[in-house]
């Protein structure tokens, strides 16, 4: 049994296809198939059911794949130990970011980070929270930035900042004359929401104490854009809530429609999350230090109440 064989079965488990797994592993398909078959013969079990399309993992195969992931992770730690001993911060680092954080946070820290750590090859992927958690578990991401707490056993969370919710209330709305708003002022039927699958949507629904399967009775909106929500609000279709950093890019006229919450302001906790195996922890720590230092100057709010991003099913 070799580390390479274990890497091959992880590739097949991920792609459910020997040809694609071989392509992603940079070997020929016969070579990969032979090594997987050799491991199955050695263990005297079938890891994959080749009679199904896409290829299925057998019950014992699922246990072997899970253990293989642990072994490959631990093998990768050897290089981490050497890098940390040498004080080296470099190499490939894949970072996932949720869509409601990516447009505002990434421009704030990216240039500073790559200038400070030029030997790090930062690979950035925009993914929803569910995908981030799965990819962290499967080793496809080194770290991620997401709204927390997530209450996931194998993931560590390091808070970066607390971002208040801000109301966007257009003219002629019932709350337009209010200086400050409270959660009790909100009517879920009057709040424009992002499409299902966004944790910010789940946070607002939790804030309003509404059922998680809520749908507007007049129309259904399938948008992942805060800009769209703002424009619809301006057309008189309701109000919306924005993360604080998104309000900084609004023009002067639109900023007049912002309404802040009374203290403690509802807010989301944005954290750097990573697998408890702590692979490439020296890069993770460097990333946390850069982001925390930059955002600390942008968000001065202290008196906040963290709203859970977890869907209440």
């Amino acid at each position: 049994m070799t580390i390479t064989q274990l890497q091959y079965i992880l590739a097949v488990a991920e792609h459910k296809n020997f040809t694609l797994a071989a392509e992603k592993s940079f070997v020929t398909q016969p070579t990969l198939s032979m090594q997987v078959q050799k491991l199955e013969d050695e263990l005297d079990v079938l890891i994959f059911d080749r009679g199904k399309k896409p290829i299925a993992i057998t019950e014992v195969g699922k246990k072997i794949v899970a253990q293989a992931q642990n072994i490959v992770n631990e093998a990768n730690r050897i290089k981490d130990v050497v890098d940390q001993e040498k004080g080296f911060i470099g190499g490939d680092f894949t970072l996932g970011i949720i869509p409601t954080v990516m447009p505002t946070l990434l421009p704030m820290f990216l240039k500073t980070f790559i200038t400070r750590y030029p030997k790090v090859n930062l690979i950035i992927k925009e993914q929803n929270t569910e995908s981030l958690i799965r990819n962290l578990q499967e080793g496809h991401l080194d770290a991620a930035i997401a709204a927390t707490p997530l209450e996931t056993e194998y993931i560590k969370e390091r808070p970066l900042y607390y971002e208040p919710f801000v109301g966007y209330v257009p003219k002629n709305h019932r709350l337009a004359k209010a200086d400050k708003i409270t959660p009790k002022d909100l009517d879920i039927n009057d709040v424009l929401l992002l499409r299902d699958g966004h944790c910010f949507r789940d946070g607002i629904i939790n804030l309003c104490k509404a059922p998680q399967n809520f749908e507007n009775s007049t129309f259904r909106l399938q948008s992942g854009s805060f800009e769209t929500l703002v424009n619809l609000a301006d057309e008189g279709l309701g109000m919306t809530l924005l993360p604080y950093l998104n309000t900084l890019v609004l023009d002067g006229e639109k900023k007049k429609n912002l309404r802040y919450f009374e203290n403690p302001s509802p807010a989301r906790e944005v954290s750097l999350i990573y697998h408890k195996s702590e692979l490439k922890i020296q890069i993770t720590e460097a990333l946390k230090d850069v982001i925390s230092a930059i955002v600390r100057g942008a968000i001065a709010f202290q008196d906040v109440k963290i709203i859970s991003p977890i869907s209440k099913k």
Side-chain angles (χ1 to χ4, degrees), residues 168-171 192 227-239 253-254 257:
Y168 184 84
V169 183
K171 298 172 184 176
L192 295 164
E227 183 180 4
T228 299
L229 300 186
V230 166
N231 290 337
L232 289 175
D234 286 339
E235 290 298 319
L237 291 172
M239 62 169 291
E253 283 302 309
K254 291 186 183 298
N257 294 332

Side-chain angles (χ1 to χ4, degrees), residues 250-268:
L250 294 177
D251 63 38
E253 283 302 309
K254 291 186 183 298
K255 283 186 177 179
K256 294 178 182 178
N257 294 332
L258 297 178
R259 296 294 181 274
Y260 296 92
F261 281 88
E262 292 181 359
N263 289 334
S265 175
R268 64 175 176 176

Side-chain angles (χ1 to χ4, degrees), residues 141-198:
L141 292 175
D142 295 306
I145 297 174
T148 53
L150 296 174
E151 301 176 8
T152 304
E153 180 182 358
Y154 55 84
I155 284 180
K156 290 192 174 184
E157 303 175 359
R158 302 281 297 281
L160 295 169
Y161 59 93
Y162 302 101
E163 184 173 25
F165 295 6
V166 181
Y168 184 84
V169 183
K171 298 172 184 176
N172 301 321
H173 188 275
R174 62 184 177 84
L175 297 177
K177 293 183 179 180
D179 292 327
K180 295 270 189 176
I181 58 176
T182 71
K184 291 181 179 179
D185 293 328
L186 302 180
D187 178 355
I188 191 63
N189 294 292
D190 186 40
V191 179
L192 295 164
L193 300 170
L194 295 173
R195 65 170 175 258
D196 196 16
H198 284 273

Side-chain angles (χ1 to χ4, degrees), residues 55-186:
I55 291 170
I57 308 175
T58 64
E59 286 305 311
V60 68
K62 291 177 183 177
K63 297 177 182 178
I64 292 171
V65 167
Q67 188 61 30
Q69 185 68 70
N70 292 336
I71 294 169
V72 170
N73 282 345
E74 289 304 310
N76 289 337
R77 283 183 65 84
I78 294 174
K79 186 175 184 304
D80 273 2
V81 168
V82 175
D83 286 346
Q84 289 177 45
E85 185 68 23
K86 294 179 178 179
F88 176 73
I89 299 179
D92 290 346
F93 191 86
T94 306
L95 176 70
I97 308 179
I98 58 173
T100 58
V101 166
M102 173 87 92
T104 52
L105 182 62
L106 188 61
M108 295 175 69
F109 78 83
L110 182 58
K111 185 176 181 179
T112 300
F113 183 81
I114 62 178
T115 300
R116 191 173 298 177
Y117 300 102
K119 294 181 180 179
V120 175
N121 178 30
L122 194 59
I123 304 158
I124 301 166
K125 298 183 178 182
E126 183 178 273
Q127 298 177 350
N128 63 27
T129 303
E130 184 179 348
S131 296
L132 293 182
I133 293 173
R134 182 179 65 253
N135 286 322
L136 282 171
Q137 182 180 27
E138 295 175 355
H140 305 311
L141 292 175
D142 295 306
I145 297 174
T148 53
L150 296 174
E151 301 176 8
T152 304
E153 180 182 358
Y154 55 84
I155 284 180
K156 290 192 174 184
E157 303 175 359
R158 302 281 297 281
L160 295 169
Y161 59 93
Y162 302 101
E163 184 173 25
F165 295 6
V166 181
Y168 184 84
V169 183
K171 298 172 184 176
N172 301 321
H173 188 275
R174 62 184 177 84
L175 297 177
K177 293 183 179 180
D179 292 327
K180 295 270 189 176
I181 58 176
T182 71
K184 291 181 179 179
D185 293 328
L186 302 180

